[in-house]
Amino acid sequence: MDDRNILEVKNLEVHFEARSGFLNNLLSREVPRIRAVDGVNFNLKKGEILSLAGESGCGKTTTGKAILRLVEPTGGKVYFRGQDLSLLTQKELREFRQQAQIIFQDPYESLNPRQTVFATVAEPLEVNRICDNTKEKEERVARALSDAGLKNPRDYFIRYPHELSGGQRQRIAIASALVLKPKFIVADEPVTMLDLSIRSGILKLMMELRDNKQISYLFITHDLSLAWLISDRIAVMYSGNIVEIGGAEQIIGSPAHPYTKALVSVIPNPERSSGTDRKLLEGEIPDPSSPPRGCKFHPRCSYAQPCCREERPLLREVEKDRFVSCHLV
Amino acid sequence: MSILEVESLTTYYKLRKGMVKACENISFSLEKGEGLGLVGESGCGKTTAALSLIRLLPENGEIMGGSININGRDIAGYTEEEMRQIRMKEISIIFQGAMNALNPVRTVGTQIVEAIKVHYNHLSDKECWERTGDLFEKVEIDRERVRDYPHEFSGGMRQRVMIAMALSCDPFVVIGDEPTTGLDVMVQAQVLQLLEDLRKEQGLGLLLISHDLACVGETCDKIVVMYAGHIVEYAPTDILFKQPLHPYTKSLMKAIPSIGQKRELIPPIPGSPPDLINPPAGCRFFARCPEAVAECERKKPVLVSVTEDHHCACLLVDSKVSDTSG
Amino acid sequence: MSDNRTVLLIKKKFSSFWKTFRQNKTGLIGLGILVLFALMAIIGPYLISYNAASVEEISTILNPPDSEHWLGTDDLGKDVLAGLVRGSRISLLVGITSTIISMLIGAVIGISSGYYGGTIDAILMRLTDVFLVIPWLPLMLVLTAILGANLLNVILVIGITSWASTARIIRSQTLSIKERPFIERARAIGSSNFHIMFSHILPNVFPLIFANTILVTAIAILSETTLSFLGMGDPTRVSWGMMLHFAFEAGATIIGAWWWIIPPGLAVVSVVLGFTFVGNALDEVLNPRLRRRER
């Protein structure tokens, strides 16, 4: 393990058993397996922001949750600071969760509506029995809130989520992650639900935290332009696999995989006169319980060759720190 | 003549606490085959404006004034019965959540046929189904799928079904209320492309309501930018993007990541939109505006023409205009 | 500082609650009825004496209402109004305590069954089904017959026979709350299952429990009346049900002593109505889905 890496993900797999009806269970013994995450590999360096980009259903959120073991992986290994997470005991798992946190997409839903801001942010300290002293707890909560960019943090203590704006709520969610002083945060579409004018504030905050507190991020997003804006590297996922991973500028500037090319081409760009050079893909993402043979993308790929239908491509290094899984690159 | 002409439309919501001035003095026009984008953040009144046009406001919403001309007739004062005659047939709407708009226990075909029958009762069942099949082909879905149930379609496909339904009675104005929000980028691009093609091929007037300036910029000919219930800027798309005048429009544009240029995060617009029950007396953007001067707090800006097509409601721009002309 | 905060918080919660509750007319009527009966139960017994008539006063037996005995007297010459006042104590006491028992059982079973799911859910819900389908009146009768008819047993019996529907309601609410992202967030910060159930699910099902409590109290009071009426109540204490029981045994209907039957009957009906009104109002206030749209 390279000790510059905070996280190494090797062949991570999350397969769910599809829920099938009573009759189906009776008639056939085979339960279809949904391959939500189907062999994902990547490393995250200390203080790095890596974006996991892709359409809904590509497995990006499941990957993030499986790393934190909020969803149990069915295969593969995740190493956090050299430690194999699948071997953790219940107690060690709790310790790990203090170092690795998650920010959810919907700030309207990820905060308990019946908890005050203080209760929400102090909760991580309480459940992990970190400090019992009320004064110190207040101190730490106030600091976390101001770290999350809220001025006069104590004014928020007895307010409820419904009294706050979306941006403020997301800051509260960030504060409740920061209060444990984590080293790694999975940010699951943290700005998708927010208005454009508030987004940059939250993104800026995340960047500052990276710079000041050396927090590494796995930034999950469907928006490539956003990924480009804030991350060091981008990994593009399609149907449970990473199809391309590399530096943000390189991925957006010269995408190599046909899927990435298509995604980059549809990033809205007002300066382009309507849709002349958009590469619209036909069809839809494959059914994760029965993905196509060979390259999963071949039915929608305009460059597909016979070999693409037979053999599944592996992630290969095509230039330094740039990996693509395509036979034709 | 414009197919849709809205003149000083004002819509309020009644609340116990007072009147929410959700939408005031909205004026714009839409030509045949044209795409108009109505852009703004949540709570700016864009959806209220759209619902006023098609008269589907919630119970406590009321059109307080202004006119809505469709093909030269003012429908602002139409009764519900009169509205029913023209909804779908002249003006129709595509909503954001396509799943909720379809009845899950009936095939999509029956639901569209039902809509057709309301306006074309002279058509036989067979002709209606034929027409539904044609509509499906128009929105690029296999015509056999008319017999499928809503849950058998993916999100993007369902939105296409909604488009087919909106087109079922040949309206000439279609309102899309965030029709692609919540869809994936690729699907969003497909749906927007479809809307654009339909608009050009059939001469539809498309009113696209969205919070996403970049998206609208790509598909529409003209853009109306709204803030806190007012139009702040109204211009053809290329002019608006080349030369935005209103400080709010400028900051919205800066917030779009411009790929290919330097990567930097733009400082957010501080503060939040004003309370629309007691809106500020002067410019509603005053408290958040980086360019505001003292006068902005007192004096209400009006929408003035800067050039023939370019309208802006900002005292700073207004004074520049009068300076140059005088 | 933190005490101050708690006080502020309670004030804030209460004032917003009261603001919404005030709008509900039937709720206010119900609350009025309940306050009246509560006052009656608390201070009433100090004001009116409830003694059997002595031998000399034989003329006071079974008197219709007059200026001395506002609601007349019974076959022992006791004042019916005084009995009504005493009875309100017992009826409310039985109603409220047995409801608390029922709620505790219902909440624990409902939350754990909804949260854990799987086998635990299956077992607990089958148990609930049993309690739901057994006719509760015979069950109560049998239980009091076995345990003996005293006040504590009546409370216990009503408590353990009335939790099933509560458990069902709370389970279904738990199922929907457990899928919400803030529960996942709670897991992500390392909370234990117990902590999640206690600090996240309970506060969110609490309004439902509370509104339900009020409704179950009405049923409990009715059950107590029924049990007593059927002769399974505590014979040493006067409750409204006991009054009705004695009135029937003494053949009050045949003698035409209406003043002996109607007051306790009306009292039961109005208290039950009061609780139902308040319960429905609370349901509307505390359950946002039923709340009238504010926007």
Side-chain angles (χ1 to χ4, degrees):
Chain A
M1 161 129 197
D2 189 336
D3 60 346
R4 280 172 310 170
N5 290 339
I6 186 163
L7 187 76
E8 292 188 1
V9 177
K10 298 210 184 309
N11 265 323
L12 184 70
E13 268 181 21
V14 183
H15 293 181
F16 297 110
E17 278 184 10
R19 209 181 289 178
S20 54
F22 172 72
L23 257 184
N24 283 345
N25 279 343
L26 213 64
L27 296 176
S28 69
R29 248 176 243 146
E30 201 170 324
V31 184
R33 293 173 74 75
I34 297 169
R35 297 157 185 274
V37 179
D38 202 14
V40 161
N41 294 286
F42 66 87
N43 301 329
L44 182 67
K45 291 191 197 71
K46 282 176 188 158
E48 186 184 38
I49 300 181
L50 171 68
S51 280
L52 210 51
E55 295 178 273
S56 59
C58 72
K60 56 190 192 302
T61 297
T62 312
T63 305
K65 288 182 180 170
I67 290 169
L68 297 181
R69 280 189 59 188
L70 289 170
V71 170
E72 284 300 324
T74 47
K77 293 278 184 202
V78 179
Y79 297 92
F80 181 74
R81 296 175 141 183
Q83 196 176 25
D84 182 351
L85 294 183
S86 62
L87 303 175
L88 296 186
T89 61
Q90 208 60 29
K91 189 163 158 282
E92 288 167 325
L93 188 63
R94 281 162 143 238
E95 276 160 24
F96 159 66
R97 283 192 178 151
Q98 295 177 32
Q99 300 179 48
Q101 280 294 311
I102 181 164
I103 303 169
F104 293 98
Q105 170 175 6
D106 188 347
Y108 296 88
E109 273 287 311
S110 66
L111 300 177
N112 185 342
R114 295 188 185 274
Q115 268 185 339
T116 58
V117 168
F118 180 80
T120 302
V121 181
E123 193 179 14
L125 298 174
E126 280 156 11
V127 299
N128 292 299
R129 295 193 190 83
I130 288 177
C131 76
D132 298 324
N133 180 335
T134 315
K135 229 176 146 133
E136 191 196 328
K137 201 153 62 185
E138 281 179 9
E139 201 50 51
R140 285 187 70 163
V141 170
R143 206 174 328 129
L145 287 171
S146 70
D147 281 346
L150 292 165
K151 284 182 199 116
N152 302 328
R154 282 169 195 268
D155 293 351
Y156 289 90
F157 277 11
I158 63 162
R159 294 171 80 179
Y160 283 94
H162 67 85
E163 300 169 283
L164 305 171
S165 71
Q168 285 170 326
R169 287 184 215 209
Q170 198 57 295
R171 285 175 194 272
I172 302 292
I174 293 173
S176 88
L178 287 181
V179 77
L180 290 172
K181 303 183 176 153
K183 284 289 155 216
F184 166 58
I185 291 181
V186 174
D188 185 6
E189 309 251 13
V191 296
T192 308
M193 306 288 285
L194 302 178
D195 269 327
L196 206 58
S197 65
I198 307 165
R199 284 185 181 187
S200 58
I202 300 284
L203 297 175
K204 228 182 168 89
L205 170 68
M206 291 176 55
M207 308 276 267
E208 280 163 14
L209 290 170
R210 186 262 299 264
D211 295 340
N212 302 335
K213 298 186 189 288
Q214 278 74 50
I215 295 174
S216 318
Y217 288 96
L218 185 65
F219 187 86
I220 297 169
T221 180
H222 68 277
D223 185 344
L224 268 183
S225 59
L226 206 60
W228 167 80
L229 193 63
I230 77 151
S231 49
D232 304 302
R233 286 189 302 148
I234 296 178
V236 179
M237 279 187 79
Y238 184 77
S239 189
N241 297 98
I242 289 181
V243 295
E244 183 165 6
I245 183 168
E249 294 278 16
Q250 287 82 357
I251 295 272
I252 303 298
S254 57
H257 194 281
Y259 179 62
T260 320
K261 281 183 185 158
L263 276 188
V264 171
S265 81
V266 297
I267 295 175
N269 178 0
E271 269 135 53
R272 172 177 59 201
S273 68
S274 54
T276 39
D277 49 357
R278 282 197 294 214
K279 292 191 186 66
L280 287 183
L281 292 175
E282 297 279 317
E284 311 207 330
I285 54 168
D287 176 3
S289 60
S290 57
R293 264 167 62 92
C295 172
K296 287 184 186 172
F297 185 61
H298 85 255
R300 301 174 76 188
C301 181
S302 50
Y303 311 96
Q305 299 296 313
C307 65
C308 301
R309 280 177 206 110
E310 295 304 321
E311 201 184 332
R312 187 156 291 175
L314 296 171
L315 212 52
R316 287 178 299 119
E317 187 158 21
V318 290
E319 53 191 86
K320 193 174 175 330
D321 291 329
R322 176 83 178 268
F323 297 82
V324 181
S325 89
C326 178
H327 292 306
L328 308 173
V329 177
Chain B
M1 191 183 64
S2 310
I3 49 170
L4 173 68
E5 198 158 338
V6 180
E7 218 18 79
S8 0
L9 176 69
T10 302
T11 302
Y12 290 171
Y13 291 109
K14 277 196 202 97
L15 276 193
R16 249 186 280 127
K17 286 178 274 178
M19 288 285 204
V20 180
K21 303 173 181 68
C23 176
E24 280 186 320
N25 260 322
I26 304 299
S27 309
F28 57 80
S29 65
L30 187 64
E31 310 296 323
K32 200 165 186 285
E34 194 178 43
L36 175 74
L38 203 54
V39 186
E41 293 177 279
S42 47
C44 74
K46 55 188 192 298
T47 297
T48 303
L51 294 179
S52 304
L53 294 186
I54 196 160
R55 300 280 298 286
L56 287 174
L57 286 166
E59 250 171 58
N60 60 345
E62 199 183 325
I63 298 179
M64 308 299 286
S67 63
I68 303 164
N69 281 295
I70 290 188
N71 255 3
R73 281 167 305 142
D74 181 8
I75 64 160
Y78 269 30
T79 61
E80 178 55 33
E81 187 47 46
E82 287 170 313
M83 268 319 285
R84 211 168 314 171
Q85 298 296 321
I86 62 165
R87 237 180 252 145
M88 299 295 279
K89 209 171 171 182
E90 301 189 4
I91 180 167
S92 65
I93 187 163
I94 307 161
F95 287 110
Q96 177 177 354
M99 190 59 181
N100 301 331
L102 289 167
N103 183 342
V105 297
R106 307 182 61 197
T107 63
V108 291
T110 35
Q111 299 184 54
I112 294 178
V113 166
E114 207 173 62
I116 296 175
K117 282 215 157 157
V118 173
H119 291 285
Y120 297 100
N121 45 19
H122 60 275
L123 291 182
S124 70
D125 276 8
K126 196 162 168 261
E127 284 166 319
C128 285
W129 281 96
E130 199 59 32
R131 196 183 164 88
T132 308
D134 295 344
L135 284 166
F136 265 47
E137 276 178 0
K138 214 185 266 175
V139 297
E140 295 156 20
I141 311 178
D142 189 1
R143 70 185 298 145
E144 298 306 310
R145 296 202 67 185
V146 292
R147 291 183 200 288
D148 285 355
Y149 288 91
H151 71 264
E152 293 172 275
F153 292 87
S154 66
M157 280 301 192
R158 240 180 267 139
Q159 201 55 283
R160 283 170 193 263
V161 172
M162 291 313 294
I163 295 173
M165 195 182 257
L167 296 178
S168 62
C169 301
D170 303 314
F172 38 82
V173 178
V174 174
I175 304 171
D177 184 7
E178 305 258 11
T180 59
T181 308
L183 297 179
D184 273 312
V185 262
M186 186 57 70
V187 183
Q188 170 174 315
Q190 290 167 346
V191 170
L192 288 177
Q193 185 69 55
L194 173 69
L195 283 174
E196 199 176 326
D197 294 346
L198 288 170
R199 170 163 74 82
K200 288 187 176 144
E201 284 160 21
Q202 316 212 342
L204 277 178
L206 177 69
L207 182 62
L208 191 65
I209 291 161
S210 174
H211 64 280
D212 189 340
L213 187 56
C215 252
V216 169
E218 223 179 46
T219 26
C220 292
D221 308 309
K222 290 193 291 192
I223 294 181
V224 171
V225 181
M226 284 185 71
Y227 181 78
H230 285 168
I231 293 183
V232 295
E233 195 160 358
Y234 173 27
T237 308
D238 43 342
I239 296 180
L240 189 80
F241 276 91
K242 257 185 221 114
Q243 198 189 16
L245 291 175
H246 198 281
Y248 179 65
T249 317
K250 286 184 208 163
S251 43
L252 273 188
M253 284 193 186
K254 275 192 221 144
I256 305 173
S258 39
I259 285 183
Q261 290 163 30
K262 198 166 159 270
R263 288 200 288 169
E264 62 178 341
L265 280 171
I266 306 306
I269 310 176
S272 49
D275 176 17
L276 291 183
I277 294 179
N278 295 306
C283 174
R284 291 189 177 175
F285 191 54
F286 168 74
R288 306 175 75 187
C289 183
E291 299 172 29
V293 294
E295 204 191 354
C296 300
E297 193 173 6
R298 282 172 281 115
K299 202 171 159 201
K300 193 174 252 173
V302 286
L303 199 66
V304 292
S305 315
V306 183
T307 62
E308 197 195 332
D309 297 335
H310 197 164
H311 310 269
C312 180
C314 178
L315 293 177
L316 300 166
V317 174
D318 196 6
S319 61
K320 266 183 227 147
V321 172
S322 49
D323 282 354
T324 47
S325 60
Chain C
M1 151 93 202
S2 58
D3 284 346
N4 196 5
R5 197 161 64 217
T6 326
V7 173
L8 266 175
L9 205 61
I10 292 171
K11 261 194 194 158
K12 190 168 153 184
K13 271 190 173 170
F14 183 76
S15 73
S16 78
F17 164 77
W18 180 241
K19 234 163 93 188
T20 333
F21 188 84
R22 222 173 36 189
Q23 315 256 325
N24 193 310
K25 290 239 162 50
T26 49
L28 282 181
I29 295 174
L31 192 65
I33 296 176
L34 293 185
V35 168
L36 216 66
F37 274 97
L39 282 177
M40 182 163 128
I42 295 164
I43 54 175
Y46 299 108
L47 302 179
I48 304 168
S49 72
Y50 179 66
N51 290 321
S54 55
V55 187
E56 306 89 73
E57 294 173 305
I58 197 80
S59 60
T60 58
I61 286 175
L62 278 178
N63 274 3
D66 55 29
S67 57
E68 198 182 333
H69 300 284
W70 293 356
L71 292 178
T73 55
D74 64 8
D75 60 344
L76 294 176
K78 292 180 180 179
D79 187 66
V80 172
L81 178 63
L84 204 64
V85 168
R86 298 265 149 141
S88 64
R89 269 196 176 183
I90 302 300
S91 292
L92 288 181
L93 179 77
V94 173
I96 291 169
T97 40
S98 54
T99 304
I100 292 173
I101 296 175
S102 150
M103 282 302 135
L104 282 178
I105 304 177
V108 168
I109 291 193
I111 292 179
S112 31
S113 156
Y115 182 75
Y116 287 110
T119 324
I120 294 179
D121 183 32
I123 294 171
L124 290 178
M125 277 303 113
R126 292 304 77 76
L127 183 72
T128 312
D129 289 344
V130 169
F131 274 89
L132 269 180
V133 296
I134 288 185
W136 56 275
L137 189 57
L139 178 65
M140 279 199 305
L141 286 174
V142 169
L143 278 175
T144 25
I146 297 170
L147 296 170
N150 64 44
L151 194 61
L152 183 68
N153 286 343
V154 170
I155 291 174
L156 282 177
V157 164
I158 296 175
I160 56 176
T161 49
S162 59
W163 55 266
S165 61
T166 312
R168 277 256 169 217
I169 296 171
I170 291 175
R171 172 180 173 268
S172 63
Q173 184 76 2
T174 306
L175 282 178
S176 85
I177 288 170
K178 129 177 133 166
E179 296 303 325
R180 290 174 59 181
F182 66 82
I183 299 296
E184 198 164 29
R185 188 194 75 91
R187 273 224 308 273
I189 58 171
S191 316
S192 62
N193 285 334
F194 181 77
H195 176 87
I196 292 177
M197 283 193 275
F198 194 78
S199 319
H200 290 281
I201 294 188
L202 184 63
N204 280 288
V205 297
F206 189 74
L208 198 72
I209 299 181
F210 191 58
N212 211 36
T213 306
I214 305 286
L215 292 173
V216 170
T217 313
I219 298 170
I221 289 176
L222 214 54
S223 307
E224 189 275 339
T225 310
T226 314
L227 273 183
S228 302
F229 179 72
L230 294 175
M232 289 299 186
D234 189 336
T236 61
R237 319 227 180 191
V238 197
S239 71
W240 296 329
M242 269 340 253
M243 285 175 80
L244 287 170
H245 172 69
F246 288 133
F248 262 79
E249 282 205 324
T253 38
I254 303 162
I255 317 168
W258 53 268
W259 59 89
W260 194 6
I261 301 171
I262 291 178
L266 269 183
V268 171
V269 170
S270 32
V271 167
V272 167
L273 210 60
F275 274 111
T276 314
F277 280 173
V278 173
N280 284 334
L282 281 179
D283 213 20
E284 199 172 298
V285 174
L286 299 171
N287 189 346
R289 250 175 296 167
L290 295 178
R291 203 179 294 168
R292 262 165 265 160
R293 270 169 62 134
E294 276 199 60
R295 272 180 208 258

